[in-house]
Amino acid sequence: MSATLSPTNSPRVRRRGSTRRRAGSHLPPFTQESHDAALYAIRHYLKGRTSYDTFPVSFRLIVLDSKLEVKKALHPQGVVSAPLWNSEKSCFAGMFTVSDIIHLIQYYYKCSSYDAAAADVETFRLESLRDIERTLGVDPPPLLREHPSASLYDASKRLIQTHARRLPLLDNDTETGHEVIVSILTQYRLLKFISINCGKEIQQLHMPLRKLGIGTYVNPPPIPPDGEKPEGYNPFHPIATATLNTPVFDVVHMFSERGISAVPIIDEEGIVVNLYETVDVITLVRLGVYQSLDLTISEALNQRSPDFPGVVICTASDSLGTLMQLIKKRRVHRLVVVEGDKGRLLGIITLSDVLRYLIGDVAIGEAYPDSSMHTTEATPAPEPAPAPSEPPSAPEPAPAESASAAEPAPEDAPPAEEGAPAADPPSEAPPAEEAAPPPEEQPEEKAPEEEPAPAPAE
C-alpha cells in the first residue's frame, strides 16, 4: 500500500520568481464613452436584423379561437397568454393575457357575487373580454402587430411606445390574402437575443443600474412637520407592496389599477420575503378557488407550485452588463432591488425598463454616421416620438410561457408607477477611435429549443 503525502510532510518546493513580463489586458478601459459606443453598436445591430432571426430552432404556436370559453383557455395544460383568432372573419383578434383574467375577476367582485363569478367563468367567452374592460373603465390593449421581416429595432420601438410586453408577428397568405399569425416576439426573447449576439458590447455596459436610471426606486413623500404620517402613507412609494396578511383581492386590485404584474411581499421592517404575481392568481382560478380570493397572501402562497424558482434580487450598484448576462443564462422577467444585509426593499426592475434604456431615444441611433460601423446594413427606421416608460431569499419564478415557445410571463398591462423613466442616452456620437466595435459578422445564435410550458404560478 503506497503512502499518501499530507500537507504537513509534503516536501516544499522553492520556486524562483519569473522574470517574464505579463502582457497587458487587451480589454479597453471602461469609460462613459465605451459605454455609449456599446449602446450605439447594439442599436445598429438590431437595425440589421429581423424578428425572424430571434425564432428558436423549433417552436410551436398555440392560437385560441375568440369564441372559446375562458375556463377552457385556462385548462391546467393550457397557456395564460396567446393570440386570438376570429374564425368568422378569418383574422387576428388580439391577445389573451393574464391581465384579462385579472379584469374579469375584479369585474365579478364589483358587480356580482362569488357564486355568479364561479358560474359565469365556466361559460364566459374570450370575445367578451373587451366588454369587461369597457365596463371597468380600463383602456383596451391596442391591436398591435408587426411583420416578421421588420427590423428588430423597429419592433423594439413598437414595444416601448405601446408599453406592450409582447408583439404578434403577422404575415399574409399569398393565395388567400388572409392574415397568418407567425409567432410572438416578447421582451425576454428580444433581450436574450441581444445578450447572445452582442457579447462584446454587453461587457462594456459596466455602469450601475440606478445611475443609469433603470428601474423604479423607493421615493416616499415627505413627512409633515408635526411628524404624523397621513393615512395611507406608503414608505415605499411609488412601489406597490403587500404583506403576508394582505388579502389576495387587494393585490388583484393593485394589478388592475396600476397595470403591474407583480407586488413585493415585505415584513414590518420592509424586508423582502416573497413576490406575488399575476400568474399566481391564475393558479387559484385553475384550482377553482377564484370565489375565495379573500384568503391571505400567506394562504395563497401555499397553493403555489412546488417548482417555483423563487425571486431574483439585485443591488442598485450591479451593472447593466451583469443583468444582461443573467438574462442570457436563465429566464428573468423582473428583479427586486434590495439594500443592506437583510434585503430591505429599494426598488424593482422590469424587462420594460431594460429594453427602454437599451433602445433609448430613437434619434440617438441616427446621430452616428453609418460609415463608422461595419456590420450588415441597417434598415432605415422611421422616427415616431419616443414614449415614456413602466424580494432576499430565493431566485425569481419563470412565469408562464406564452402561446409560442420561449415566451415570457404574461404582462400586457402598461406599467404605471412601477416604471421609472430611463436615463436619456447621450445625444452625441463618441469619437470614432473610442467607439466600441460593432458585433462581429457571424450567424446569430438561435435560442435553445424550448418546449412551451404550461402556465405555473413586473
Side-chain angles (χ1 to χ4, degrees):
M1 184 175 65
S2 60
T4 302
L5 295 177
S6 65
T8 55
N9 54 18
S10 298
R12 293 185 178 181
V13 178
R14 181 172 297 177
R15 297 182 179 180
R16 299 178 59 183
S18 174
T19 58
R20 293 183 298 174
R21 293 184 178 181
R22 294 186 176 184
S25 173
H26 294 287
L27 292 175
F30 291 148
T31 63
Q32 180 68 55
E33 289 74 18
S34 65
H35 180 94
D36 297 342
L39 281 178
Y40 164 64
I42 291 173
R43 294 166 188 169
H44 186 91
Y45 179 79
L46 294 178
K47 292 180 181 180
R49 299 297 182 270
T50 70
S51 297
Y52 273 124
D53 296 324
T54 67
F55 290 4
V57 175
S58 175
F59 69 95
R60 65 176 179 173
L61 180 68
I62 299 175
V63 180
L64 303 178
D65 192 290
S66 60
K67 291 189 177 299
L68 185 69
E69 293 86 358
V70 172
K71 184 64 176 180
K72 292 183 179 179
L74 292 176
H75 189 271
Q77 299 302 319
V79 294
V80 294
S81 177
L84 298 176
W85 182 259
N86 187 322
S87 55
E88 294 180 347
K89 299 181 180 180
S90 296
C91 66
F92 174 64
M95 293 288 298
F96 168 68
T97 71
V98 68
S99 296
D100 294 320
I101 303 303
I102 297 297
H103 294 153
L104 183 61
I105 292 173
Q106 190 177 33
Y107 169 79
Y108 281 115
Y109 267 69
K110 281 186 174 182
C111 309
S112 189
S113 64
Y114 291 165
D115 294 336
D120 289 350
V121 169
E122 301 285 342
T123 58
F124 199 85
R125 297 184 183 275
L126 295 175
E127 63 183 353
S128 302
L129 290 173
R130 301 290 86 90
D131 297 332
I132 294 295
E133 293 169 342
R134 284 190 286 269
T135 302
L136 292 175
V138 177
D139 293 333
L143 197 63
L144 299 178
R145 67 186 71 196
E146 190 64 85
H147 196 276
S149 62
S151 76
L152 281 176
Y153 185 74
D154 289 342
S156 301
K157 290 193 298 181
R158 179 67 64 88
L159 286 170
I160 294 171
Q161 292 161 358
T162 58
H163 306 287
R165 304 294 184 271
R166 50 184 54 78
L167 182 62
L169 302 175
L170 274 66
D171 202 345
N172 289 314
D173 188 293
T174 54
E175 296 183 358
T176 66
H178 292 166
E179 294 177 327
V180 178
I181 305 174
V182 179
S183 187
I184 306 293
L185 178 65
T186 64
Q187 292 177 336
Y188 173 76
R189 181 185 289 182
L190 178 55
L191 290 173
K192 185 172 182 178
F193 179 83
I194 295 173
S195 65
I196 290 175
N197 293 284
C198 301
K200 292 183 179 179
E201 287 68 31
I202 295 303
Q203 293 178 8
Q204 296 295 319
L205 302 178
H206 61 282
M207 298 184 67
L209 293 165
R210 187 168 191 176
K211 185 175 181 180
L212 296 175
I214 299 176
T216 302
Y217 295 88
V218 172
N219 184 23
I223 300 177
D226 58 8
E228 184 176 349
K229 297 179 181 178
E231 183 180 357
Y233 179 83
N234 179 13
F236 299 98
H237 175 84
I239 300 175
T241 61
T243 69
L244 291 173
N245 296 322
T246 302
V248 169
F249 184 71
D250 287 356
V251 179
V252 169
H253 181 69
M254 296 179 194
F255 290 153
S256 180
E257 184 181 52
R258 293 172 173 246
I260 56 179
S261 59
V263 170
I265 308 302
I266 59 176
D267 63 14
E268 60 278 0
E269 297 179 0
I271 308 302
V272 178
V273 297
N274 217 312
L275 189 74
Y276 197 74
E277 305 175 329
T278 50
V279 285
D280 291 319
V281 179
I282 301 305
T283 300
L284 297 179
V285 173
R286 283 177 172 161
L287 294 175
V289 294
Y290 36 77
Q291 66 270 40
S292 303
L293 295 184
D294 52 348
L295 74 172
T296 65
I297 293 294
S298 178
E299 294 169 331
L301 291 177
N302 292 330
Q303 307 285 346
R304 182 178 265 171
S305 174
D307 59 355
F308 174 73
V311 180
V312 178
I313 63 173
C314 68
T315 67
S317 60
D318 287 333
S319 70
L320 175 56
T322 301
L323 172 55
M324 292 298 293
Q325 289 293 343
L326 179 63
I327 291 175
K328 179 180 178 180
K329 295 176 182 178
R330 59 167 295 176
R331 184 175 292 277
V332 177
H333 298 289
R334 67 190 61 79
L335 297 92
V336 178
V337 187
V338 299
E339 62 179 345
D341 296 336
K342 294 184 178 180
R344 192 174 191 272
L345 178 63
L346 179 61
I348 191 165
I349 297 174
T350 67
L351 294 189
S352 295
D353 299 324
V354 179
L355 182 61
R356 189 179 306 113
Y357 179 81
L358 288 176
I359 300 304
D361 185 347
V362 294
I364 296 300
E366 306 301 330
Y368 290 84
D370 290 340
S371 59
S372 65
M373 304 302 295
H374 303 284
T375 55
T376 56
E377 292 186 9
T379 304
E383 299 183 16
S389 52
E390 137 145 346
S393 24
E396 176 180 13
E401 300 271 70
S402 165
S404 64
E407 302 299 335
E411 302 176 340
D412 261 13
E417 300 180 20
E418 292 272 343
D424 289 332
S427 58
E428 297 182 1
E433 62 273 16
E434 294 180 352
E440 296 181 356
E441 282 298 320
Q442 58 184 8
E444 287 78 10
E445 297 184 41
K446 295 287 187 179
E449 181 173 346
E450 302 181 43
E451 291 293 334
E458 103 76 325

